[in-house]
Amino acid sequence: MNIKLGLLAAALLFSLPVSAANWGASIDDRADALSQKLHNSHDYHAYLAINLANKAAEEKDQHDTEVAKRFMQMAEQEAAKVGSAK
Amino acid sequence: MRAIRITPPFLAACAAALLSACVAAPLNTEISPLNDARTWIAKAKAAGAEQCAPALQAEAVGQLYAAAHEYAEGNVHPDEQTETAAAATTAAKKAYAKCTNHPQVMRLTGVYFDTNSAHLKSASEATLNHAIKVLKANKKSDVEIAAYTDSRGSSSYNLKLSKMRADAVRDYLRNHNIAANRLTAKGYGESHPIASNASAAGRSKNRRVELHLK
């Protein structure tokens, strides 16, 4: 039984998207971290990531938390592509 | 109470359920009000905008997502729906223009002059005031004011008249706080017609003023 529970926990853990590593951090913290990391990059994906992170922060300020999370997730997915613009 | 059996399919279902909860559904940008924005973003991308105008292209795509979100909300913010969609299109056009060295052309439909004169009719104000808003929103763009005539009269007269009309529009913009060093006025006379000069409707189209944003 313990093995099965362990498997369940492992399956759930591995199913998490990369952005879930930021669970617990606020939208503002995540947006700030992303902006600081990318502010010197002139890559298309970096600009888009910062743009989406700013929109996430705006939505969060308007108390639309679900939308803010969605934009933040998109921002982090875009940030992961930095350097890959073709 | 029935015990739940933890089987591999059950584990897979749990993982899938959690994954779907963590990954938000993508915003739907494939809606008709965003056709123009999508088309220009694709054109800009094809022109290499991700390399030659990355900030503008990112702005366009970001605004496209923002517009998709506004439309997904229904009519909560109807003004923001059209504003964000227009902002996406404008940014993509600028990215395309930057990458192709083509100026962004804004035709000033609704600018009228007295016949054979460079005197602006008051009916032109709405169009010119809209142009001022656009220029204030695009502070980094230099602008050529290009005026054209139809083919009636001599070409030298038409060239002179078009230059005077371009000057009149430039003066109007300058008098409404658009920096003079951003503005150049050029008359093209009857060259570059966009319609046939054989009909009144065609000649009306050829008599025009455009802003070329660079």
mmCIF file of all heavy atoms in Angstrom, chain B residues 183-213:
data_model
loop_
_atom_site.group_PDB
_atom_site.id
_atom_site.type_symbol
_atom_site.label_atom_id
_atom_site.label_comp_id
_atom_site.label_asym_id
_atom_site.label_seq_id
_atom_site.Cartn_x
_atom_site.Cartn_y
_atom_site.Cartn_z
ATOM 1 N N LEU B 183 8.075 66.253 -38.345
ATOM 2 C CA LEU B 183 7.159 66.375 -39.482
ATOM 3 C C LEU B 183 7.859 66.874 -40.735
ATOM 4 O O LEU B 183 8.596 67.867 -40.692
ATOM 5 C CB LEU B 183 6.024 67.345 -39.123
ATOM 6 C CG LEU B 183 5.206 67.011 -37.873
ATOM 7 C CD1 LEU B 183 4.254 68.176 -37.548
ATOM 8 C CD2 LEU B 183 4.419 65.736 -38.074
ATOM 9 N N THR B 184 7.626 66.207 -41.840
ATOM 10 C CA THR B 184 8.023 66.748 -43.137
ATOM 11 C C THR B 184 6.791 66.701 -44.034
ATOM 12 O O THR B 184 5.954 65.793 -43.910
ATOM 13 C CB THR B 184 9.147 65.938 -43.799
ATOM 14 O OG1 THR B 184 8.734 64.579 -43.895
ATOM 15 C CG2 THR B 184 10.441 66.030 -43.027
ATOM 16 N N ALA B 185 6.682 67.683 -44.912
ATOM 17 C CA ALA B 185 5.523 67.751 -45.814
ATOM 18 C C ALA B 185 6.006 67.600 -47.244
ATOM 19 O O ALA B 185 6.990 68.236 -47.638
ATOM 20 C CB ALA B 185 4.808 69.086 -45.625
ATOM 21 N N LYS B 186 5.328 66.749 -47.992
ATOM 22 C CA LYS B 186 5.748 66.545 -49.377
ATOM 23 C C LYS B 186 4.520 66.447 -50.284
ATOM 24 O O LYS B 186 3.555 65.749 -49.971
ATOM 25 C CB LYS B 186 6.573 65.262 -49.480
ATOM 26 C CG LYS B 186 7.208 65.100 -50.850
ATOM 27 C CD LYS B 186 8.320 64.067 -50.821
ATOM 28 C CE LYS B 186 8.942 63.969 -52.216
ATOM 29 N NZ LYS B 186 9.975 62.954 -52.292
ATOM 30 N N GLY B 187 4.586 67.159 -51.398
ATOM 31 C CA GLY B 187 3.504 67.073 -52.382
ATOM 32 C C GLY B 187 3.921 66.166 -53.522
ATOM 33 O O GLY B 187 5.029 66.278 -54.028
ATOM 34 N N TYR B 188 3.056 65.257 -53.870
ATOM 35 C CA TYR B 188 3.364 64.308 -54.943
ATOM 36 C C TYR B 188 2.557 64.601 -56.209
ATOM 37 O O TYR B 188 2.656 63.858 -57.178
ATOM 38 C CB TYR B 188 3.090 62.875 -54.477
ATOM 39 C CG TYR B 188 4.108 62.363 -53.479
ATOM 40 C CD1 TYR B 188 3.944 62.565 -52.122
ATOM 41 C CD2 TYR B 188 5.232 61.681 -53.918
ATOM 42 C CE1 TYR B 188 4.870 62.088 -51.205
ATOM 43 C CE2 TYR B 188 6.174 61.201 -53.017
ATOM 44 C CZ TYR B 188 5.983 61.407 -51.653
ATOM 45 O OH TYR B 188 6.920 60.943 -50.764
ATOM 46 N N GLY B 189 1.731 65.667 -56.165
ATOM 47 C CA GLY B 189 0.950 65.997 -57.349
ATOM 48 C C GLY B 189 0.042 64.851 -57.766
ATOM 49 O O GLY B 189 -0.560 64.172 -56.933
ATOM 50 N N GLU B 190 -0.015 64.644 -59.070
ATOM 51 C CA GLU B 190 -0.932 63.604 -59.575
ATOM 52 C C GLU B 190 -0.253 62.244 -59.712
ATOM 53 O O GLU B 190 -0.861 61.295 -60.214
ATOM 54 C CB GLU B 190 -1.485 64.050 -60.935
ATOM 55 C CG GLU B 190 -0.410 64.254 -61.994
ATOM 56 C CD GLU B 190 -0.919 65.015 -63.214
ATOM 57 O OE1 GLU B 190 -1.265 66.210 -63.077
ATOM 58 O OE2 GLU B 190 -0.989 64.424 -64.283
ATOM 59 N N SER B 191 1.009 62.158 -59.266
ATOM 60 C CA SER B 191 1.700 60.862 -59.347
ATOM 61 C C SER B 191 1.117 59.907 -58.296
ATOM 62 O O SER B 191 0.460 60.330 -57.351
ATOM 63 C CB SER B 191 3.195 61.053 -59.119
ATOM 64 O OG SER B 191 3.429 61.520 -57.814
ATOM 65 N N HIS B 192 1.375 58.666 -58.468
ATOM 66 C CA HIS B 192 0.905 57.617 -57.548
ATOM 67 C C HIS B 192 -0.612 57.575 -57.373
ATOM 68 O O HIS B 192 -1.116 57.564 -56.247
ATOM 69 C CB HIS B 192 1.548 57.774 -56.168
ATOM 70 C CG HIS B 192 3.046 57.885 -56.201
ATOM 71 N ND1 HIS B 192 3.870 56.903 -56.699
ATOM 72 C CD2 HIS B 192 3.878 58.896 -55.818
ATOM 73 C CE1 HIS B 192 5.133 57.284 -56.612
ATOM 74 N NE2 HIS B 192 5.160 58.493 -56.087
ATOM 75 N N PRO B 193 -1.361 57.571 -58.466
ATOM 76 C CA PRO B 193 -2.825 57.439 -58.293
ATOM 77 C C PRO B 193 -3.174 56.054 -57.729
ATOM 78 O O PRO B 193 -2.470 55.078 -58.008
ATOM 79 C CB PRO B 193 -3.362 57.601 -59.720
ATOM 80 C CG PRO B 193 -2.233 57.161 -60.594
ATOM 81 C CD PRO B 193 -0.975 57.576 -59.880
ATOM 82 N N ILE B 194 -4.247 56.002 -56.969
ATOM 83 C CA ILE B 194 -4.679 54.713 -56.415
ATOM 84 C C ILE B 194 -5.979 54.248 -57.086
ATOM 85 O O ILE B 194 -6.510 53.194 -56.750
ATOM 86 C CB ILE B 194 -4.877 54.787 -54.886
ATOM 87 C CG1 ILE B 194 -5.853 55.904 -54.515
ATOM 88 C CG2 ILE B 194 -3.549 54.967 -54.189
ATOM 89 C CD1 ILE B 194 -6.252 55.894 -53.052
ATOM 90 N N ALA B 195 -6.494 55.084 -58.000
ATOM 91 C CA ALA B 195 -7.728 54.727 -58.717
ATOM 92 C C ALA B 195 -7.681 55.410 -60.082
ATOM 93 O O ALA B 195 -6.797 56.245 -60.345
ATOM 94 C CB ALA B 195 -8.949 55.174 -57.921
ATOM 95 N N SER B 196 -8.653 55.063 -60.921
ATOM 96 C CA SER B 196 -8.689 55.648 -62.255
ATOM 97 C C SER B 196 -9.103 57.117 -62.173
ATOM 98 O O SER B 196 -10.023 57.482 -61.433
ATOM 99 C CB SER B 196 -9.687 54.883 -63.122
ATOM 100 O OG SER B 196 -9.949 55.626 -64.297
ATOM 101 N N ASN B 197 -8.433 57.975 -62.957
ATOM 102 C CA ASN B 197 -8.820 59.388 -63.021
ATOM 103 C C ASN B 197 -9.952 59.624 -64.029
ATOM 104 O O ASN B 197 -10.359 60.766 -64.239
ATOM 105 C CB ASN B 197 -7.605 60.240 -63.395
ATOM 106 C CG ASN B 197 -6.757 60.564 -62.166
ATOM 107 O OD1 ASN B 197 -7.236 61.154 -61.195
ATOM 108 N ND2 ASN B 197 -5.502 60.146 -62.190
ATOM 109 N N ALA B 198 -10.438 58.532 -64.621
ATOM 110 C CA ALA B 198 -11.485 58.673 -65.641
ATOM 111 C C ALA B 198 -12.863 58.893 -65.012
ATOM 112 O O ALA B 198 -13.783 59.367 -65.685
ATOM 113 C CB ALA B 198 -11.510 57.423 -66.513
ATOM 114 N N SER B 199 -13.008 58.559 -63.759
ATOM 115 C CA SER B 199 -14.323 58.728 -63.111
ATOM 116 C C SER B 199 -14.207 59.681 -61.930
ATOM 117 O O SER B 199 -13.122 59.845 -61.349
ATOM 118 C CB SER B 199 -14.852 57.383 -62.607
ATOM 119 O OG SER B 199 -14.065 56.944 -61.515
ATOM 120 N N ALA B 200 -15.339 60.265 -61.572
ATOM 121 C CA ALA B 200 -15.359 61.192 -60.429
ATOM 122 C C ALA B 200 -14.997 60.455 -59.141
ATOM 123 O O ALA B 200 -14.265 60.988 -58.292
ATOM 124 C CB ALA B 200 -16.747 61.819 -60.306
ATOM 125 N N ALA B 201 -15.505 59.231 -59.029
ATOM 126 C CA ALA B 201 -15.214 58.455 -57.812
ATOM 127 C C ALA B 201 -13.718 58.159 -57.715
ATOM 128 O O ALA B 201 -13.119 58.238 -56.626
ATOM 129 C CB ALA B 201 -16.013 57.153 -57.823
ATOM 130 N N GLY B 202 -13.120 57.832 -58.842
ATOM 131 C CA GLY B 202 -11.675 57.534 -58.856
ATOM 132 C C GLY B 202 -10.861 58.767 -58.526
ATOM 133 O O GLY B 202 -9.907 58.716 -57.726
ATOM 134 N N ARG B 203 -11.240 59.914 -59.116
ATOM 135 C CA ARG B 203 -10.505 61.152 -58.854
ATOM 136 C C ARG B 203 -10.616 61.539 -57.381
ATOM 137 O O ARG B 203 -9.654 62.030 -56.782
ATOM 138 C CB ARG B 203 -11.042 62.278 -59.742
ATOM 139 C CG ARG B 203 -10.659 62.136 -61.206
ATOM 140 C CD ARG B 203 -10.930 63.414 -61.979
ATOM 141 N NE ARG B 203 -12.349 63.746 -62.057
ATOM 142 C CZ ARG B 203 -13.193 63.275 -62.991
ATOM 143 N NH1 ARG B 203 -12.761 62.436 -63.921
ATOM 144 N NH2 ARG B 203 -14.460 63.628 -62.979
ATOM 145 N N SER B 204 -11.773 61.277 -56.802
ATOM 146 C CA SER B 204 -11.965 61.582 -55.379
ATOM 147 C C SER B 204 -11.005 60.768 -54.513
ATOM 148 O O SER B 204 -10.451 61.267 -53.523
ATOM 149 C CB SER B 204 -13.419 61.293 -54.997
ATOM 150 O OG SER B 204 -13.584 61.448 -53.616
ATOM 151 N N LYS B 205 -10.799 59.516 -54.925
ATOM 152 C CA LYS B 205 -9.861 58.669 -54.159
ATOM 153 C C LYS B 205 -8.429 59.164 -54.325
ATOM 154 O O LYS B 205 -7.618 59.088 -53.394
ATOM 155 C CB LYS B 205 -9.962 57.216 -54.626
ATOM 156 C CG LYS B 205 -11.198 56.496 -54.128
ATOM 157 C CD LYS B 205 -11.197 55.056 -54.581
ATOM 158 C CE LYS B 205 -12.457 54.351 -54.097
ATOM 159 N NZ LYS B 205 -12.580 52.995 -54.635
ATOM 160 N N ASN B 206 -8.114 59.632 -55.514
ATOM 161 C CA ASN B 206 -6.734 60.067 -55.770
ATOM 162 C C ASN B 206 -6.379 61.352 -55.030
ATOM 163 O O ASN B 206 -5.221 61.578 -54.720
ATOM 164 C CB ASN B 206 -6.517 60.242 -57.275
ATOM 165 C CG ASN B 206 -6.503 58.900 -57.988
ATOM 166 O OD1 ASN B 206 -6.192 57.881 -57.371
ATOM 167 N ND2 ASN B 206 -6.852 58.890 -59.270
ATOM 168 N N ARG B 207 -7.391 62.192 -54.780
ATOM 169 C CA ARG B 207 -7.133 63.410 -53.995
ATOM 170 C C ARG B 207 -7.096 62.995 -52.526
ATOM 171 O O ARG B 207 -8.126 62.689 -51.917
ATOM 172 C CB ARG B 207 -8.267 64.437 -54.190
ATOM 173 C CG ARG B 207 -8.373 64.993 -55.591
ATOM 174 C CD ARG B 207 -9.338 66.170 -55.625
ATOM 175 N NE ARG B 207 -10.690 65.822 -55.243
ATOM 176 C CZ ARG B 207 -11.631 65.337 -56.067
ATOM 177 N NH1 ARG B 207 -11.341 65.135 -57.349
ATOM 178 N NH2 ARG B 207 -12.846 65.056 -55.629
ATOM 179 N N ARG B 208 -5.910 62.926 -51.995
ATOM 180 C CA ARG B 208 -5.819 62.357 -50.638
ATOM 181 C C ARG B 208 -4.575 62.876 -49.913
ATOM 182 O O ARG B 208 -3.648 63.403 -50.542
ATOM 183 C CB ARG B 208 -5.752 60.820 -50.715
ATOM 184 C CG ARG B 208 -4.476 60.303 -51.338
ATOM 185 C CD ARG B 208 -4.595 58.851 -51.787
ATOM 186 N NE ARG B 208 -3.311 58.286 -52.182
ATOM 187 C CZ ARG B 208 -2.777 58.430 -53.391
ATOM 188 N NH1 ARG B 208 -3.387 59.114 -54.322
ATOM 189 N NH2 ARG B 208 -1.592 57.887 -53.661
ATOM 190 N N VAL B 209 -4.602 62.663 -48.590
ATOM 191 C CA VAL B 209 -3.438 62.969 -47.757
ATOM 192 C C VAL B 209 -3.125 61.714 -46.956
ATOM 193 O O VAL B 209 -4.020 61.058 -46.428
ATOM 194 C CB VAL B 209 -3.727 64.153 -46.798
ATOM 195 C CG1 VAL B 209 -2.517 64.420 -45.913
ATOM 196 C CG2 VAL B 209 -4.091 65.405 -47.589
ATOM 197 N N GLU B 210 -1.853 61.377 -46.894
ATOM 198 C CA GLU B 210 -1.427 60.203 -46.127
ATOM 199 C C GLU B 210 -0.345 60.615 -45.140
ATOM 200 O O GLU B 210 0.431 61.541 -45.403
ATOM 201 C CB GLU B 210 -0.849 59.133 -47.061
ATOM 202 C CG GLU B 210 -1.833 58.560 -48.056
ATOM 203 C CD GLU B 210 -1.180 57.661 -49.094
ATOM 204 O OE1 GLU B 210 0.064 57.652 -49.204
ATOM 205 O OE2 GLU B 210 -1.923 56.971 -49.808
ATOM 206 N N LEU B 211 -0.290 59.896 -44.031
ATOM 207 C CA LEU B 211 0.845 60.033 -43.107
ATOM 208 C C LEU B 211 1.712 58.801 -43.280
ATOM 209 O O LEU B 211 1.210 57.675 -43.229
ATOM 210 C CB LEU B 211 0.357 60.119 -41.654
ATOM 211 C CG LEU B 211 -0.565 61.290 -41.298
ATOM 212 C CD1 LEU B 211 -0.853 61.289 -39.803
ATOM 213 C CD2 LEU B 211 0.036 62.622 -41.722
ATOM 214 N N HIS B 212 2.977 59.011 -43.541
ATOM 215 C CA HIS B 212 3.920 57.900 -43.650
ATOM 216 C C HIS B 212 4.777 57.887 -42.388
ATOM 217 O O HIS B 212 5.652 58.731 -42.212
ATOM 218 C CB HIS B 212 4.798 58.061 -44.896
ATOM 219 C CG HIS B 212 4.014 58.031 -46.179
ATOM 220 N ND1 HIS B 212 4.570 58.300 -47.400
ATOM 221 C CD2 HIS B 212 2.715 57.747 -46.427
ATOM 222 C CE1 HIS B 212 3.638 58.187 -48.348
ATOM 223 N NE2 HIS B 212 2.507 57.863 -47.782
ATOM 224 N N LEU B 213 4.500 56.945 -41.509
ATOM 225 C CA LEU B 213 5.229 56.851 -40.235
ATOM 226 C C LEU B 213 6.483 56.009 -40.436
ATOM 227 O O LEU B 213 6.413 54.897 -40.948
ATOM 228 C CB LEU B 213 4.350 56.214 -39.166
ATOM 229 C CG LEU B 213 3.314 57.120 -38.509
ATOM 230 C CD1 LEU B 213 2.197 57.486 -39.464
ATOM 231 C CD2 LEU B 213 2.746 56.463 -37.265
#
